[in-house]
Amino acid sequence: MHPVSPSRSILSSAILILGILFIAANLRGPITGIGPVLDQIIDSFALSAPQAGMLTTLPLLAFAIASPMATSLAKKQGLEISLFVALVLIGLGLSSRLIDSVVVLYIGTAVIGVGIAIGNVLLPSLIKRDFPHKVALMTSAYVLAMGIFAGSYSALLIPLAAYKELGWQIALASYGLVTLISLLIWLPQLRLHTKPTRDLTQPHTQGKIWHHALAWHITLCLGLNSFFTYVMIAWLPNILMEGGHSAQQAGMLHGAFQLASAVPGIVLIPLLAKLKDQRLLALALALIGCFCSLGLLYLPNYAFIWSITLGFCAGAIFILGLSYISLRTHHSGQAASLSGMAQCVGYLLAAIGPMFAGSLHTHFESWAPVLWLCALASLLCGVFGYLGGRNITLSTNA
């Protein structure tokens, strides 16, 4: 609840910032890294497409279940120890991938999801408390770190698995080295036991938020974007391979998609506060996303352009949707209620996406229906983004 102490040295501040960036580096890659080697996992364990999609769905279900627990953990143990626990859980989940068992693979993936959920909930609170005047800058930096690490990992996975026939298990578990470095960098923070900021710990009632059309517009904008994004995270390499790309090219493009999704954080966060009406921006981004989804299907030779543009649009709409939560509400309690509603629906839609897409592919034996589904989701996201982008706010009694 206190800003950074004036007595904190430049070195200790630098170590804290480095620690934050390395925690962020663990909040996406361990899940999204599965995409490029999903075909190899399917072959190893003879999985169906929906079962394979479950590997992307499990962490999202863990997010939904574990997110409320993160606040309780932080209240008891403090933010610093709670974030250390998050890293330990991610590390355990990654190391379990060395065990040749499909059951252990699923359990380990769920454990990673719990660790990432704790990090997702608590890291913004730490930034708000320790960098109260640099929230936008630090948020941009950690979103960028997530994208750079996850994107680079996706791009390197196929060559790493092929190197001296290491295989997909060692390639996936190798991200544990990043987690280990993160744990070591975070160690100096463990002498502190500070509590989360009040906005995270104060009880919020949902009130009548679920009855407001504007709340649903914002929720569905974020939810449909999550649906689309996680279908791409799970299946983009397979879609690209069906379009004629090699596994290595598909992994590189999967990495490019994630790197591009982090870029809007640098551009949009400082600009959004100045835009009173975001309708046209939301609609334009979603229409481009819709067009690029169909581009992957009908013009696969230009997959590099489609992948990068899709990543940029997905990241931009996510940031836009999050900004709606503060721009369309009157106070932090209302914002927290709307955020809870958006996360609940968003995680549900995101969790359904990869499994539903896998089932569609199994039924039609083609990725075409999945890409049309993504185009439709993007189009609907644009409609709700347009409605949520109007310069209005929720009523004060929501």
Side-chain angles (χ1 to χ4, degrees), residues 257-272:
F257 170 84
Q258 291 179 78
L259 281 170
S261 73
V263 173
I266 308 163
V267 185
L268 276 184
I269 289 175
L271 287 178
L272 281 174

Side-chain angles (χ1 to χ4, degrees), residues 52-276:
M54 190 68 184
L55 287 169
T56 307
T57 292
L58 260 177
L60 296 163
L61 295 174
F63 289 0
I65 296 163
S67 292
M69 290 157 43
T71 308
S72 305
L73 180 67
K75 279 186 199 171
K76 289 176 188 165
Q77 302 298 332
L79 280 172
E80 291 78 10
I81 289 175
S82 300
L83 286 164
F84 189 80
V85 168
L87 288 173
V88 169
L89 289 170
I90 293 166
L92 285 172
L94 284 164
S95 59
S96 74
R97 287 172 171 174
L98 293 168
I99 299 165
D100 193 23
S101 157
V102 70
V103 175
V104 173
L105 179 64
Y106 280 119
I107 292 168
T109 302
V111 170
I112 288 169
V114 173
I116 290 176
I118 295 168
N120 276 337
V121 172
L122 300 184
L123 202 56
S125 182
L126 183 87
I127 287 169
K128 191 176 280 192
R129 188 200 67 204
D130 286 356
F131 302 94
H133 306 299
K134 305 261 185 202
V135 171
L137 178 67
M138 288 298 296
T139 303
S140 298
Y142 98 71
V143 169
L144 192 61
M146 281 166 67
I148 289 170
F149 275 85
S152 306
Y153 182 45
S154 285
L156 292 170
L157 257 172
I158 297 289
L160 186 61
Y163 179 71
K164 293 189 176 177
E165 297 185 347
L166 283 177
W168 65 265
Q169 285 173 286
I170 292 173
L172 278 182
S174 67
Y175 204 87
L177 293 172
V178 175
T179 312
L180 183 61
I181 292 165
S182 309
L183 283 163
L184 294 172
I185 292 170
W186 196 249
L187 279 174
Q189 310 306 326
L190 295 186
R191 57 195 169 80
L192 304 167
H193 300 274
T194 49
K195 297 292 183 272
T197 48
R198 192 173 291 129
D199 65 297
L200 196 67
T201 55
Q202 66 189 17
H204 299 298
T205 54
Q206 292 296 332
K208 298 175 181 173
I209 201 95
W210 292 75
H211 300 155
H212 284 259
L214 181 59
W216 276 105
H217 298 154
I218 294 165
T219 295
L220 289 170
C221 171
L222 276 165
L224 287 161
N225 186 58
S226 296
F227 176 92
F228 163 85
T229 303
Y230 277 93
V231 169
M232 286 294 169
I233 282 170
W235 295 114
L236 182 60
N238 297 63
I239 290 166
L240 291 166
M241 285 188 279
E242 187 173 274
H245 295 272
S246 69
Q248 196 159 335
Q249 287 171 329
M252 293 284 284
L253 292 171
H254 190 253
F257 170 84
Q258 291 179 78
L259 281 170
S261 73
V263 173
I266 308 163
V267 185
L268 276 184
I269 289 175
L271 287 178
L272 281 174
K274 296 170 187 173
L275 273 180
K276 287 187 176 175

Side-chain angles (χ1 to χ4, degrees), residues 54 85 283 308 343 370:
M54 190 68 184
V85 168
L283 190 59
I308 284 182
Q343 282 186 59
V370 174

